[in-house]
Amino acid sequence: MSNAAKGSAVITIPGHNQNAELPMLAGTIGPEVLDIRKLYNELGVFTFDPGYGGTASCESKITYIDGDEGVLLYRGYPIEQLAEHSTFLEVACLLLNGELPNDAEFAEFERGVTRHTMLHEQLRSFFNGFRRDAHPMAVLCGVVGALSAFYHDSLDINNPEHRRISAFRLIAKVPTIAAWTYKYSIGQPFMYPRNDLSFAENFLYMMNAVPAEPFKVNPILSRAMDRILILHADHEQNASTSTVRLAGSTGANPFACIAAGIASLWGPAHGGANEAVLKMLEEIGHVDHIPEFIDRVKDKNSNVRLMGFGHRVYKNYDPRAKIMQRTCHEVLGELGVKDDPLLDLAIELERIALSDEYFISKKLYPNVDFYSGIILKAMGFPTSMFTVLFAVARTVGWISQWKEMIEDPSQRIGRPRQLYTGAPMRDFVPRNRRD
Ligand code: CMC
């Protein structure tokens, strides 16, 4: 990998009689980056950035976000264009390999994914070990982690062919596992994948079909599902992706790394927000209760947040939220839902929040999760499956970022330092002499 040095910055720290000259790096777009790698060796100081708000943890060519302008690019292509004109599998190929495929390249990629959609038959028994009421994310996390016990022939991270096959296996098998977590929870037979269907169609089929009768996938719903998958496919160095990279930096196998990413995604501040939005809307219950709810959100002591609002990077409308809102209307139209009280509530909540000084001054806008729950609920997904669906899509981003990291010659184990504020060195005192 390369990054162009654009001059340098001289750092002087009071009380240190030495300066450090640090290179300034420039990406293709985005802010300049101060390269602090020499700082500790030259001046003996660390930098402090809990939450990494001002720290670039790696160099990447995959996804770019301009949070102030509300721009999201996959490999340079605006998310709006990909959502409109591309398909999830084509976007997966783009994220993983760097370029949009031609016909032959796409056919090969599609073959690579579809030939890996089935699970090792012994993996079925894993599901029986879980309680029926287990959260599907718990099951997903466990079964994806278990993949490394089944596919020993693709675990050598230094072998490009192993990396290629592991990537295909993960992209192909996570939807099967995801659908089976749902089938297990409702006590229906597992549906085997159908490789004659598109990625989104096959997922909807495995979720909704039963062996007793034929099932036809609604093309409008599969198109909406495909678009939702595109919107969630990657989002640069968010918490779960950083988790995957950090786990991967130790040389851990890709199945284990993706399981770590799934665990990280589960939290309500990240991928769990779509589930939390729906719970919040149901709790608010009626538009008349919105002002009271907004007051609780603004109360510093309440710990209540407007779920689906705000983002660490976007200080403008999340471009994915706009597409989600449009898709929401399409899906509800197709399903003949004329008045969805939750949608009415969400629209009113958004209107009030966007004109409220609290949200304006803090630059809090709807994010991707604000409307996704309403769409998924209308499509028949239970709330507990919302984050699972996010994980199905994000597996593509995680594995692309993992692969990029492994193939980066400058990659080394991730090992942050700390600002230690504990006790200084002291001597051990035997228990009978402690106060
Ligand atoms: N509702 C009310 N106040 C908020 C919200 C919110 N949703 N988000 C941020 N704030 C306030 C926060 O209280 C703080 O105020 P103050 O400066 O007075 O202390 C200020 O805005 C900055 O918040 P922060 O927590 O320092 O911001 P962050 O960048 O650390 O957090 C976030 C980003 C996404 C975790 C946060 O906005 C949040 O909790 N949002 C709700 C959960 C959510 O929708 N998450 C999905 C994110 S998008 C998809 C994904 O990443 O998976």
Side-chain angles (χ1 to χ4, degrees), residues 39-351:
L39 190 66
Y40 179 65
N41 280 346
E42 300 205 348
L43 291 183
V45 298
F46 292 146
T47 52
F48 183 61
D49 186 17
Y52 313 116
T55 297
S57 61
C58 64
E59 185 186 331
S60 181
K61 293 179 167 54
I62 301 176
T63 292
Y64 174 76
I65 303 173
D66 182 334
D68 296 320
E69 297 297 326
V71 170
L72 169 60
L73 312 176
Y74 290 167
R75 300 280 188 185
Y77 296 103
I79 191 67
E80 293 83 356
Q81 292 181 22
L82 293 170
E84 184 70 25
H85 303 296
S86 190
T87 62
F88 177 69
L89 217 49
E90 187 175 70
V91 166
C93 184
L94 170 71
L95 287 169
L96 198 61
N97 298 333
E99 294 298 337
L100 283 169
N102 60 27
D103 283 342
E105 288 160 345
F106 181 72
E108 194 189 330
F109 187 82
E110 190 175 38
R111 212 171 26 252
V113 172
T114 51
R115 69 183 293 196
H116 288 292
T117 51
M118 288 200 303
L119 299 181
H120 191 292
E121 196 61 12
Q122 262 173 273
L123 263 169
R124 283 179 70 107
S125 24
F126 260 76
F127 289 84
N128 292 328
F130 288 95
R131 288 168 52 132
R132 287 272 175 206
D133 62 354
H135 195 289
M137 280 299 279
V139 182
L140 184 74
C141 196
V143 180
V144 171
L147 290 176
S148 42
F150 285 83
Y151 300 102
H152 296 147
D153 59 340
S154 65
L155 294 184
D156 179 1
I157 61 162
N158 298 314
N159 181 328
E161 189 54 16
H162 283 214
R163 292 199 294 271
R164 196 179 72 86
I165 293 181
S166 287
F168 279 139
R169 282 184 166 149
L170 278 155
I171 296 168
K173 292 182 199 301
V174 168
T176 312
I177 298 172
W180 286 14
T181 66
Y182 173 59
K183 289 293 190 190
Y184 181 72
S185 74
I186 56 169
Q188 283 188 1
F190 295 146
M191 296 301 290
Y192 286 95
R194 269 188 47 194
N195 291 348
D196 58 320
L197 299 177
S198 76
F199 190 91
E201 284 169 340
N202 175 49
F203 183 58
L204 290 176
Y205 165 80
M206 289 189 293
M207 284 285 301
N208 296 305
V210 289
E213 54 192 51
F215 178 82
K216 193 159 165 21
V217 183
N218 177 326
I220 306 243
L221 298 191
S222 71
R223 179 66 194 127
M225 174 55 56
D226 198 72
R227 197 178 293 151
I228 293 170
L229 294 172
I230 292 174
L231 296 182
H232 287 88
D234 195 47
H235 213 227
E236 54 117 303
Q237 308 311 320
N238 54 80
S240 57
T241 302
S242 298
T243 303
V244 170
R245 278 188 178 256
L246 197 55
S249 78
T250 69
N253 74 70
F255 302 108
C257 295
I258 301 304
I262 292 169
S264 171
L265 184 75
W266 194 359
H270 192 9
N274 46 19
E275 189 175 341
V277 169
L278 216 77
K279 283 193 183 132
M280 174 190 76
L281 293 175
E282 280 163 355
E283 195 185 301
I284 298 173
H286 194 274
V287 283
D288 291 351
H289 305 151
I290 293 177
E292 184 207 324
F293 179 76
I294 296 272
D295 284 347
R296 281 170 56 210
V297 168
K298 293 194 302 196
D299 175 1
K300 271 231 166 276
N301 303 316
S302 75
N303 266 336
V304 177
R305 287 202 165 195
L306 179 50
M307 300 311 284
F309 256 69
H311 196 275
R312 170 62 61 79
V313 182
Y314 293 118
K315 300 303 165 201
N316 200 327
Y317 222 106
D318 177 341
R320 302 168 301 172
K322 282 191 189 151
I323 305 170
M324 237 5 148
Q325 193 193 37
R326 264 204 321 274
T327 307
C328 190
H329 287 290
E330 274 170 32
V331 167
L332 295 184
E334 170 62 19
L335 294 172
V337 181
K338 296 232 167 20
D339 286 309
D340 179 1
L342 288 184
L343 180 61
D344 294 345
L345 203 57
I347 291 172
E348 184 59 9
L349 195 56
E350 178 184 345
R351 193 191 63 74

Side-chain angles (χ1 to χ4, degrees), residues 3-9 22-28 32-35:
N3 41 40
K6 288 277 160 72
S8 59
L22 303 177
M24 294 297 302
L25 307 177
T28 36
E32 285 177 88
V33 171
L34 179 62
D35 179 350

